[in-house]
Amino acid sequence: QKDSDGDGVMDRKDQWPDTASGKTVNTNGCDLIPGNAISLFTESPTCPNTANGSLNISTALMGYDFDILLTGENRNESFTTIDLAESLKIDDLSSGTYEISISIPAIHYEQTFGITINEISNISGKIKDIDTKSMSAKYTVSGSTDYTVDVNGIQKRFHFNSDEENIISIDNLQKQNSISIAGKSNCQGLFTDILLLQEEVHVFPTITSGS
């Protein structure tokens, strides 16, 4: 029985007979890669009807060349001999489910991941309540978890735990207000409103001809 590289696996079973000193190996004598050594995450959801989602692949493993295969949603793309010392970003992904196979050919290692690119919704908004005495108003909004509200040129930010219907309360309003509400992403659209809080409305001229 001979173990040339001293990794604890006899040469007759060792598929990687020249393991570097100090490396932890599996039963075949190949480098043992922890299950969490490679990380995948989506950097952004895709906008409605647009393929602009992205995927980021990174690892703390050093000294390996990776082969990566991406399939799903009309994409079949391979990346070979990739050094993940710097993370790999894959852009222009449409919403849907993808399978990513990542392998290290030199040590016969392969791991498959599944990820989903979500499509963000358009935001919607409508007036819910107006209080002319306290000069305040409430809007019902949906479609995002984060909103930027511009009131007469002054911005306020609101965060919610879900993108379902939520209430935004706005105080210290003027008699005439220009209000715009934007979601987390620019592609979710923009809700705008001109809000009047005058107790009396004057219509003029008082004498007209026709409609």
Side-chain angles (χ1 to χ4, degrees), residues 25-187:
V25 300
N26 59 23
T27 56
N28 295 321
C30 298
D31 293 1
L32 182 63
I33 306 298
N36 61 353
I38 301 173
S39 300
L40 285 83
F41 63 91
T42 56
E43 288 199 323
S44 60
T46 183
C47 292
N49 304 313
T50 307
N52 66 344
S54 61
L55 165 68
N56 190 290
I57 304 173
S58 62
T59 183
L61 298 172
M62 304 297 291
Y64 298 104
D65 287 330
F66 295 82
D67 287 351
I68 299 169
L69 175 63
L70 169 75
T71 57
E73 304 303 326
N74 299 317
R75 288 285 289 271
N76 190 333
E77 193 169 353
S78 60
F79 306 83
T80 58
T81 319
I82 301 297
D83 182 0
L84 288 181
E86 295 184 3
S87 59
L88 173 67
K89 184 178 179 181
I90 304 175
D91 294 311
D92 303 324
L93 299 175
S94 58
S95 61
T97 302
Y98 296 84
E99 185 176 277
I100 300 95
S101 296
I102 301 177
S103 62
I104 308 175
I107 60 171
H108 312 291
Y109 169 85
E110 184 173 357
Q111 189 172 2
T112 300
F113 302 83
I115 62 108
T116 299
I117 300 290
N118 295 313
E119 180 177 281
I120 57 178
S121 305
N122 289 320
I123 65 166
S124 65
K126 60 183 178 181
I127 191 73
K128 177 179 175 61
D129 184 52
I130 298 174
D131 189 334
T132 56
K133 291 184 178 180
S134 64
M135 300 298 282
S136 63
K138 294 181 179 179
Y139 286 85
T140 301
V141 295
S142 62
S144 184
T145 55
D146 295 271
Y147 297 89
T148 299
V149 180
D150 187 298
V151 182
N152 303 320
I154 299 175
Q155 290 190 346
K156 299 179 181 180
R157 288 182 169 80
F158 295 82
H159 173 75
F160 301 99
N161 293 326
S162 78
D163 61 1
E164 302 298 324
E165 282 197 352
N166 291 289
I167 304 298
I168 288 177
S169 298
I170 306 173
D171 302 314
N172 302 317
L173 293 171
Q174 302 173 13
K175 288 186 176 182
Q176 180 171 324
N177 304 275
S178 175
I179 297 173
S180 66
I181 301 176
K184 189 174 184 179
S185 174
N186 291 334
C187 67

